[in-house]
Amino acid sequence: MSTRALPDASPTEATPVSLCAREPHVPADRLVREMVPPPRFDSVRFDTYIPDPNQPSQSEAVKILSGFADGLGGAHATGAGKRRWFSRAPKRTAPAGPRGVYLDGGYGVGKTHLLASLWHATPAEPALKAFGTFVELTNLVGALGFQQTVQTLSGHRLLCIDEFELDDPGDTVLVSSLLARLVEQGVALAATSNTLPGKLGEGRFAAADFLREIQGLSAHFRPLRIDGEDYRHRGLPEAPAPYSDEAVTKAAYATPGASLDDFPQLLDHLAKVHPSRYGALTDDLTAVCLTDVTAVPDQSTALRLVVLADRLYDREIPVLASGQPFDRLFSEEMLKGGYRKKYFRAISRLTALARDAKGLVAQ
């Protein structure tokens, strides 16, 4: 573990906060309120999605999803969200035919951008639309209980689920049961997912896996393939090399609202905070500064880091680091294992945030 000399704060400097000193508690009602596209996707729309001209499936996806959003503009769910916390919403008959879409594609092709655009384009007030990752949805069930979650979401017009976790059979069954109940109430669904462990590459296995895992719900989803390369590496420069401990520490003190932590200590702290609270852990931060970045020691630690990377990326919080580069966070064994897609996503997102942090270091 590295040590660093802390500079004396000048009148124009602010002492950075420490993530390791934060132990946020998130009430259930905040989990519900925050089921909207994350800050990074506040302003995305279908017309801000830039299709790769070499991938016609991307343009086709925009056209189909735009039409899907227009089709959700009926009288369904008007005002139901106002009473969803304490009373049972009246049962509605689900429309015939596919009532959901599943976006099938590799990481970095813009699936979350398109999913958030669908949320924004759906003609309903925000209280009648929900957007969250699979993990956030399971956390909501854990906080409210299954029946209360059904009642809370049954008045919605649309539920968007990003990164449906096909590698967790127990949670897949739980969420599939929840979605079945919501479909009965006429709620429209949209989802993206991770591929199952053991599947090679980003090929066409994902749609078949998804539809098989949700079994009885498969008829309600129209698979929509989105081909392409990771846009975060499309024409962009290589990630910046790590900085020195001194440069990272100096930048943290010079950046109001920044945090400063020793990376191994932060990994230890993440084990003490439930992943549903990692978003709250980053509240009000303008940058995250990390010293002594090293490879993660085990799979459990790695998966927690993936969640934190997702929350930082969602909130567009730059990450400035010393130590090893982010593409060396995970061992070769991890990158070849069942969770490799998550690890490659984390590397991609942390690399993007490292680029964003270059301006924090004095030239």
Side-chain angles (χ1 to χ4, degrees):
M1 186 177 299
S2 68
T3 58
R4 58 177 180 269
L6 301 182
D8 294 328
S10 72
T12 60
E13 292 177 332
T15 302
V17 301
S18 170
L19 295 179
C20 293
R22 291 185 166 188
E23 297 183 3
H25 296 280
V26 183
D29 60 343
R30 173 173 170 174
L31 295 177
V32 177
R33 290 196 310 270
E34 291 186 344
M35 290 194 74
V36 297
R40 176 175 285 271
F41 299 97
D42 276 345
S43 60
V44 302
R45 300 295 187 273
F46 288 129
D47 59 5
T48 65
Y49 180 80
I50 304 175
D52 185 337
N54 297 317
Q55 303 292 346
S57 63
Q58 295 185 5
S59 297
E60 182 67 10
V62 172
K63 179 180 178 181
I64 292 173
L65 289 171
S66 180
F68 183 76
D70 291 342
L72 300 179
H76 171 190
T78 54
K82 302 297 184 181
R83 60 178 178 275
R84 65 185 183 272
W85 274 95
F86 302 108
S87 63
R88 185 181 301 275
K91 184 175 182 179
R92 290 177 292 273
T93 301
R99 184 65 175 169
V101 290
Y102 164 65
L103 309 185
D104 176 28
Y107 60 87
V109 298
K111 298 192 304 297
T112 302
H113 183 134
L114 291 171
L115 194 67
S117 297
L118 173 63
W119 187 93
H120 287 297
T122 297
E125 61 181 278
L128 299 181
K129 302 181 286 186
F131 184 107
T133 65
F134 180 90
V135 172
E136 289 169 331
L137 188 59
T138 58
N139 289 336
L140 183 66
V141 175
L144 300 183
F146 184 84
Q147 294 298 335
Q148 186 63 61
T149 303
V150 171
Q151 294 181 32
T152 299
L153 298 177
S154 62
H156 283 58
R157 192 166 298 174
L158 173 69
L159 171 61
C160 296
I161 308 171
D162 201 18
E163 298 166 7
F164 202 108
E165 300 282 1
L166 293 176
D167 47 28
D168 190 326
D171 282 346
T172 298
V173 171
L174 172 69
V175 174
S176 294
S177 299
L178 172 65
L179 298 185
R181 294 285 297 276
L182 296 179
V183 166
E184 291 176 356
Q185 299 292 334
V187 180
L189 307 172
T192 70
S193 80
N194 294 319
T195 52
L196 284 168
K199 297 301 184 183
L200 298 176
E202 310 296 339
R204 298 181 182 272
F205 298 108
D209 290 335
F210 176 80
L211 296 176
R212 183 184 65 251
E213 292 299 314
I214 62 173
Q215 297 178 11
L217 281 173
S218 61
H220 295 285
F221 282 91
R222 172 182 180 177
L224 190 59
R225 178 67 187 177
I226 305 170
D227 297 297
E229 298 178 355
D230 186 342
Y231 77 90
R232 288 181 289 273
H233 298 312
R234 198 186 300 165
L236 293 176
E238 293 295 321
Y243 296 92
S244 67
D245 283 359
E246 292 74 19
V248 172
T249 301
K250 183 177 180 180
Y253 275 82
T255 306
S259 66
L260 177 63
D261 289 277
D262 179 78
F263 186 70
Q265 291 180 355
L266 177 59
L267 294 183
D268 290 341
H269 183 63
L270 292 180
K272 304 172 186 176
V273 180
H274 192 277
S276 66
R277 301 174 182 173
Y278 287 5
L281 194 68
T282 67
D283 281 352
D284 304 318
L285 291 184
T286 60
V288 166
C289 298
L290 302 170
T291 58
D292 194 26
V293 170
T294 57
V296 295
D298 55 70
Q299 193 112 269
S300 295
T301 303
L303 291 173
R304 287 192 289 267
L305 181 60
V306 167
V307 177
L308 179 63
D310 286 343
R311 300 292 81 78
L312 293 173
Y313 183 78
D314 288 344
R315 289 158 175 76
E316 299 183 290
I317 300 175
V319 178
L320 191 70
S322 68
Q324 295 188 11
F326 288 133
D327 61 3
R328 294 171 61 185
L329 282 172
F330 309 107
S331 69
E332 285 298 318
E333 182 180 2
M334 290 179 182
L335 294 178
K336 293 178 181 178
Y339 296 112
R340 62 185 174 275
K341 185 174 181 181
K342 294 183 180 183
Y343 300 147
F344 280 116
R345 184 180 78 234
I347 291 171
S348 180
R349 290 183 168 185
L350 288 171
T351 296
L353 296 177
R355 293 193 191 105
D356 295 342
K358 291 180 66 174
L360 300 178
V361 180
Q363 302 297 321

